[in-house]
Each structure stands twice: as structure tokens, then as C-alpha cells.
Amino acid sequence: AQSVTQLGSHVSVSEGALVLLRCNYSSSVPPYLFWYVQYPNQGLQLLLKYTTGATLVKGINGFEAEFKKSETSFHLTKPSAHMSDAAEYFCAVHGNQFYFGTGTSLTVIP
Amino acid sequence: EAGVAQSPRYKIIEKRQSVAFWCNPISGHATLYWYQQILGQGPKLLIQFQNNGVVDDSQLPKDRFSAERLKGVDSTLKIQPAKLEDSAVYLCASLPGGNNEQFFGPGTRLTVL
């Protein structure tokens, strides 16, 4: 069985501050892990993914995530938030099926 | 490369009416997914196709929802009859063979009154 838990449905950060969005997963098979971003009235866009290999994954728009098997986590970070980062972020796991978390809405305060 | 196309983008119907959504995946993508995304929630898989065959429809409410992908290319998702709780965004995604990165369409926002 697989599932994804995103801690914090809403996160607010100041422009220029660190962004940290949390994701924990459960999977009975080695997982593939994803972060997607969704802007209003748009579909989901892939930010980054972990399949195998290096556990620190770099994505688009300056985001990165680290796969920590011992903690079953895949938290998303960005060193300095930009106003354009305001969006909904979804963590997803793919074992034998795709499962999405409930999402975290990121607000960036000018 | 053209992305995943969906139509219509918005649809408003009354309960008990029927509605259909269309999806055209990226050319050559064998796998196609339909998701339901209720406001404030993550996408929930409804059905997965591999070419024109159904791989997983375990979460599709088959008493009112149906989907087909007859020629293994575009797909239609139908709801008949619609209920208030069907109000959601219906997302289509496709995935090329040998890959695990889904490409999403813009979605169809359904409002059932």
C-alpha cells in the first residue's frame, strides 16, 4: 500500500526566505517520488522527481528535494522564495499506482 | 511538442444531467489517466488506460462514471447522471512508455448545481 502525507495545508513565507514543504510517504515497494506545482486554473507541472541514484534531486525554478529513506521523507526546499512561487504544491508517490498528497498552498509575502 | 489537450475547460450542469469530457494525450504516449481533483484535495485516480485497455479502474464509480479510449489515442470520460458531489476538476494525464513522468492537461472544471 502507498500513501502520501503533506504536513501543513498552508505555508506562508516572506519573499527571500527559505521555503520548506514537507512530505512523508509510505510504500511497500521502492518508490518513485515526485513534486508537482499547480497554478490557478492550470494542470499540474512536474517540479522534480526521484527514481534512483542521488538522493538530492534538483528541479526547476530553484527547487530541490532530498529522499531520506530512513525518515520516509521527501521534503521540498528552495533557499529564497519568489513571489512567483505562490501556488499549490503536491507530493506524489508511484509504486504500482500514483498517489497524491492533499497539497500545500504556498503564500509568499512581499 | 503539443501538450495534453482537454475540453471543455469549464462545464456547469444541473444534477441528474449527463456530461462528457474529452482528452487528447501527447502523441505516442501509451498510458492515459483520468483524475478527479475536489477543491482542497489532491488528484485521485479514476482510471488508467494502457493503449486502449483498462489497467486500473478500481476507484471509478462505475454506476455513474464511464470512460473509453477506443483507438488507444484520445479518451472520453462520462458522468451519467451527475451528482452535486461530482463538482471537481477532472484532470487527464499521459505517460510515455518506459517513463514515470506524467504530463497533465489543464483540466475541466465541472460544477454541478
Side-chain angles (χ1 to χ4, degrees):
Chain A
Q2 296 134 69
S3 68
V4 175
T5 301
Q6 290 185 241
L7 298 175
S9 57
H10 293 88
V11 170
S12 293
V13 300
S14 297
E15 190 174 17
L18 172 71
V19 175
L20 171 60
L21 305 182
R22 300 178 185 273
C23 173
N24 288 88
Y25 70 92
S26 67
S27 179
S28 56
V29 298
Y32 295 156
L33 296 160
F34 305 81
W35 275 100
Y36 286 87
V37 61
Q38 187 176 35
Y39 298 101
N41 299 315
Q42 295 186 27
L44 279 69
Q45 179 185 3
L46 182 69
L47 275 177
L48 49 80
K49 64 179 179 180
Y50 168 80
T51 53
T52 59
T55 56
L56 182 63
V57 180
K58 295 187 184 298
I60 61 172
N61 301 338
F63 285 93
E64 62 182 35
E66 186 170 11
F67 170 58
K68 292 187 176 181
K69 185 177 180 180
S70 61
E71 299 178 7
T72 61
S73 70
F74 191 56
H75 301 330
L76 181 71
T77 60
K78 181 174 180 177
S80 177
H82 191 272
M83 296 298 293
S84 60
D85 294 328
E88 190 85 15
Y89 291 81
F90 293 94
C91 182
V93 62
H94 183 215
N96 53 16
Q97 193 184 94
F98 281 96
Y99 289 91
F100 286 82
T102 53
T104 298
S105 178
L106 177 65
T107 300
V108 181
I109 304 167
Chain B
E1 179 182 74
V4 177
Q6 290 188 248
S7 67
R9 290 295 312 277
Y10 304 91
K11 189 73 177 180
I12 301 174
I13 62 172
E14 295 187 349
K15 61 182 178 183
R16 290 187 290 273
Q17 286 187 321
S18 301
V19 65
F21 313 129
W22 175 80
C23 171
N24 193 17
I26 293 172
S27 178
H29 284 198
T31 307
L32 184 148
Y33 304 83
W34 282 102
Y35 289 89
Q36 180 191 59
Q37 185 179 17
I38 293 173
L39 185 65
Q41 298 182 21
K44 184 187 83 171
L45 180 68
L46 292 175
I47 189 167
Q48 176 186 346
F49 290 95
Q50 182 74 18
N51 296 310
N52 61 350
V54 175
V55 174
D56 185 349
D57 63 356
S58 58
Q59 299 188 83
L60 186 72
K62 298 181 187 63
D63 58 333
R64 297 184 301 106
F65 286 65
S66 64
E68 60 184 15
R69 193 185 185 199
L70 293 176
K71 297 182 180 179
V73 181
D74 56 345
S75 176
T76 303
L77 176 69
K78 297 179 181 178
I79 308 175
Q80 180 180 4
K83 293 185 175 181
L84 296 177
E85 58 262 35
D86 298 332
S87 294
V89 175
Y90 290 85
L91 294 166
C92 179
S94 67
L95 188 152
N99 200 324
N100 47 48
E101 178 181 340
Q102 294 181 92
F103 293 81
F104 283 84
T108 296
R109 182 177 298 276
L110 173 68
T111 302
V112 182
L113 303 176

